[in-house]
Amino acid sequence: KAGVTQTPRYLIKTRGQQVTLSCSPISGHRSVSWYQQTPGQGLQFLFEYFSETQRNKGNFPGRFSGRQFSNSRSEMNVSTLELGDSALYLCASSSPILRDGASYEQYFGPGTRLTVT
Amino acid sequence: SQQGEEDPQALSIQEGENATMNCSYKTSINNLQWYRQNSGRGLVHLILIRSNEREKHSGRLRVTLDTSKKSSSLLITASRAADTASYFCATGRSYNTDKLIFGTGTRLQVFP
């Protein structure tokens, strides 16, 4: 089975621009979560999608948004980029099979490294 | 903000030695997971322990969980140079969500 894929892997943008990152989960996985990783704040939860619905959202400004498509692929968008948005953006998927109500292990993609200049 | 604090922040050992990392968290959980990250790449799931479990083993990994102290430890036995990475604990708190709260991480360096 192919793992979680993220595109692009590296991105350089200028302040004020917007960016769209893409994530393809493992086949059959319906839950996709996004995390931001920076040296200062560590790993921070952005949002989570399940069956095209946002199920949970972290404490980020409205410039950060996302969506999930019917094939479970997900995109996240950051508008009006700021220098502080420079980070590694990680996507993770999980399988709902055998779910007993508890969260399960996440399978992470390699990440998209965004640099804002 | 992050929920978990990990200790130590960095650990250097020789191959063959054991490495122990500790994680503390603040609120109730239904599971705790450990992940490894090699040099700014994606995270790899290592082991998951549920709140009603006290100890779990997987190969050279041993995880303990003490919910009364809100703490967990990860022991890697007989370390190898390939174990060099950052290790994160992450807590899952609620039903019907995969949201994880990550700790600050421990950077492990294993010298050959």
Side-chain angles (χ1 to χ4, degrees), chain A residues 31 33 35 37 41-45 48 55-56 88 90 94 99 101-106 108-110 113, chain B residues 1-2 30-31 33 35 37 40-43 45 48 50 88 92-100 102-103:
Chain A
S31 172
S33 300
Y35 294 84
Q37 185 177 28
Q41 297 299 314
L43 282 152
Q44 303 275 331
F45 172 79
E48 172 193 7
R55 188 159 63 176
N56 219 327
L88 180 66
L90 294 162
S94 75
R99 185 176 291 276
S103 57
Y104 276 69
E105 62 188 81
Q106 304 282 295
F108 282 81
R113 185 163 295 281
Chain B
S1 63
Q2 290 172 310
N30 64 43
N31 69 78
Q33 306 177 34
Y35 288 83
Q37 184 178 40
R41 298 172 68 95
L43 295 158
H45 181 268
L48 181 153
R50 301 203 184 286
F88 295 90
R93 290 170 50 193
S94 305
Y95 291 107
N96 298 317
T97 176
D98 288 328
K99 175 182 177 180
L100 293 174
F102 281 89

Side-chain angles (χ1 to χ4, degrees), chain A residues 41-53:
Chain A
Q41 297 299 314
L43 282 152
Q44 303 275 331
F45 172 79
L46 278 159
F47 24 65
E48 172 193 7
Y49 289 87
F50 181 79
S51 293
E52 302 178 65
T53 301

Side-chain angles (χ1 to χ4, degrees), chain A residues 10 105 112:
Chain A
Y10 302 91
E105 62 188 81
T112 294

